[in-house]
Amino acid sequence: MAATTAFKGAKSSRWRRFVLKPFVFVQFFFGIGLLAIALKQFRRKNTHPAQSPELIAKDWEILYYRIIPFRAISRAWGWLTNCHLPVWARRPLLGLYARTFNCNLEEAKDGNLDNYSCLAEFFRRKLKNGVRPIDSASAVVAPSDGTVLNFGRVTAGMMEQVKGVSYSLGEFLGPAYWRNGPEVQPAGQTELEYEKSLLVNKDNDLFHCVIYLAPGDYHCFHSPVDWTVNFRRHFPGALLSVNPSIAKWVAGLFSLNERAVYVGRWEHGFFSMTPVGATNVGSIRVYADEKLRTNCTKWALPLPYYDRYMGPTETDSDEIPLHKGEIFGEFNLGSTIVLIFEAPKDFEFKIRPGEKIRMGQPLHVTGSSVKQEAAAH
């Protein structure tokens, strides 16, 4: 028996030596690397003024940041938040979450915390009828609750992520062949040419708006206009944090992350709405698109993106007509919505960067031609 015990002890010791020690070393050096990046960024902030290009992450820093297993972490978080909570634990745990993130329980359709069986259910809570009135006079309304990160006119195929940090329209949407089926992207096409290729009416301009949903916000997203969806492109991507502080640091953040780009037409031409995934928000659900599967392993979705045509000629799918304010989908926890759309040149936004907005409120100045044309209809 003593010999058997010694043998088992030796096996256990060898297992620790060959498995645990390398893991500890990886953790140690990985932690040191992240600490080095943090210290370097801290020194940059003390040396350079706010919004300085020097504060944007270098390529090697982004590469190191992306090594963190955010997708596995997000799946683990998803499993944890879906764990059944005993009734006695619901009020203290969910109440703590609600107080921490300033959730307004008075707006919830069900304000009794005892009725939510898990944290994920509370994340996806629905609101009472009437607490988010849809502005009938506005052609474009906020698709969700959240904070405005940035908005404006698309310039030479580039969009501002936050002030001083831009990203490419073409990289975010991918090849623009959703109108007539698969085509080869023209060789050498510039960012400006790509932008112009999206316009249905060449007298219009492209505009964009980015809204960040915090953990305490209402997590469903709605249609901001009357439009018809006829194409979806799913980028498996990464699941980096989309917190505003990270958005100021990582250029092209939204083009790196998992996202589902929905493309269609509204009264002025091109319109797209993109829910973007993030750390602990791998699960994006779109009610009219049951085929969408997010936060899968790289082995399950190895390609850069996956297209689905929803035109009336498709045998397995139909276009998705959406009315302004109609519920479209939901996030688990919080993330980002990116709107990119075509509108008359005099379109003006009615919002400010950093402003807290609520689903259904107007996004544009009602004196513009967009409003006048909407009223005419």
Side-chain angles (χ1 to χ4, degrees):
M1 185 178 292
T4 303
T5 303
F7 175 73
K8 287 182 177 178
K11 276 186 73 176
S12 176
S13 177
R14 283 198 298 271
W15 184 82
R16 288 195 198 93
R17 185 166 63 252
F18 291 111
V19 177
L20 288 183
K21 281 189 176 181
F23 181 68
V24 170
F25 285 140
V26 167
Q27 282 187 315
F28 175 76
F29 289 114
F30 192 66
I32 291 295
L34 286 179
L35 181 61
I37 291 176
L39 290 174
K40 193 173 183 65
Q41 188 68 7
F42 178 75
R43 291 182 62 186
R44 283 180 193 157
K45 285 187 175 181
N46 287 339
T47 306
H48 302 281
Q51 306 302 337
S52 168
E54 291 297 325
L55 297 179
I56 299 174
K58 311 302 181 189
D59 289 344
W60 69 268
E61 291 175 318
I62 296 174
L63 180 62
Y64 200 91
Y65 181 50
R66 293 184 66 179
I67 292 174
I68 301 174
F70 287 117
R71 191 168 291 277
I73 292 170
S74 298
R75 282 196 294 272
W77 175 252
W79 173 84
L80 180 64
T81 57
N82 279 283
C83 286
H84 181 82
L85 293 173
V87 176
W88 60 266
R90 294 175 187 177
R91 193 170 292 275
L93 291 178
L94 299 181
L96 175 63
Y97 180 90
R99 290 190 298 274
T100 301
F101 295 106
N102 298 316
C103 303
N104 189 347
L105 295 179
E106 293 182 1
E107 294 181 338
K109 194 171 185 178
D110 187 352
N112 186 354
L113 296 179
D114 291 338
N115 293 335
Y116 295 98
S117 64
C118 62
L119 191 55
E121 263 189 29
F122 183 68
F123 290 156
R124 300 188 299 266
R125 66 191 178 279
K126 301 299 186 289
L127 301 182
K128 294 175 183 175
N129 292 332
V131 298
R132 293 291 184 276
I134 309 301
D135 191 296
S136 59
S138 177
V140 187
V141 299
S144 66
D145 290 5
T147 302
V148 177
L149 286 189
N150 219 318
F151 61 88
R153 202 178 304 264
V154 178
T155 306
M158 300 297 292
M159 304 178 290
E160 270 201 323
Q161 186 169 291
V162 293
K163 187 175 180 180
V165 181
S166 298
Y167 61 109
S168 162
L169 176 69
E171 288 181 5
F172 182 78
L173 294 178
Y177 53 61
W178 38 74
R179 290 180 186 170
N180 303 310
E183 298 173 0
V184 177
Q185 184 101 0
Q189 186 181 45
T190 66
E191 294 284 359
L192 179 59
E193 289 170 341
Y194 179 91
E195 175 191 335
K196 297 300 182 184
S197 73
L198 302 185
L199 296 174
V200 176
N201 183 346
K202 301 305 179 183
D203 293 328
N204 289 339
D205 281 342
L206 276 183
F207 297 83
H208 71 101
C209 180
V210 183
I211 300 169
Y212 167 71
L213 287 75
D217 288 327
Y218 167 56
H219 296 110
C220 291
F221 47 90
H222 297 240
S223 175
V225 297
D226 294 324
W227 65 306
T228 301
V229 179
N230 49 41
F231 179 85
R232 182 257 288 159
R233 174 170 290 148
H234 174 210
F235 291 85
L239 287 176
L240 309 180
S241 170
V242 292
N243 185 280
S245 61
I246 300 297
K248 293 177 184 177
W249 182 56
V250 179
L253 174 63
F254 304 137
S255 299
L256 296 174
N257 270 15
E258 179 160 25
R259 59 198 182 278
V261 178
Y262 286 88
V263 175
R265 290 200 182 192
W266 73 314
E267 60 179 319
H268 297 291
F270 175 85
F271 196 95
S272 75
M273 178 174 176
T274 304
V276 181
T279 308
N280 297 335
V281 199
S283 178
I284 301 170
R285 182 186 175 194
V286 173
Y287 299 135
D289 186 8
E290 295 296 332
K291 293 186 177 182
L292 178 66
R293 292 289 183 273
T294 59
N295 198 10
C296 299
T297 63
K298 281 295 183 183
W299 293 276
L301 296 174
L303 299 180
Y305 57 82
Y306 295 83
D307 292 343
R308 182 188 177 198
Y309 293 88
M310 299 175 174
T313 59
E314 301 301 316
T315 56
D316 64 337
S317 60
D318 295 315
E319 294 179 324
I320 306 174
L322 290 166
H323 297 291
K324 183 175 64 177
E326 183 179 350
I327 193 166
F328 191 20
E330 66 186 23
F331 289 113
N332 277 326
L333 198 56
S335 191
T336 300
I337 295 287
V338 178
L339 304 178
I340 303 171
F341 56 92
E342 176 179 348
K345 292 181 183 295
D346 65 347
F347 181 94
E348 294 181 58
F349 283 98
K350 192 183 179 179
I351 48 180
R352 302 183 308 275
E355 178 184 355
K356 288 287 293 183
I357 61 172
R358 288 154 61 100
M359 191 280 292
Q361 78 174 63
L363 289 185
H364 70 93
V365 175
T366 55
S368 69
S369 63
V370 176
K371 158 64 174 65
Q372 294 165 3
E373 292 183 34
H377 287 293

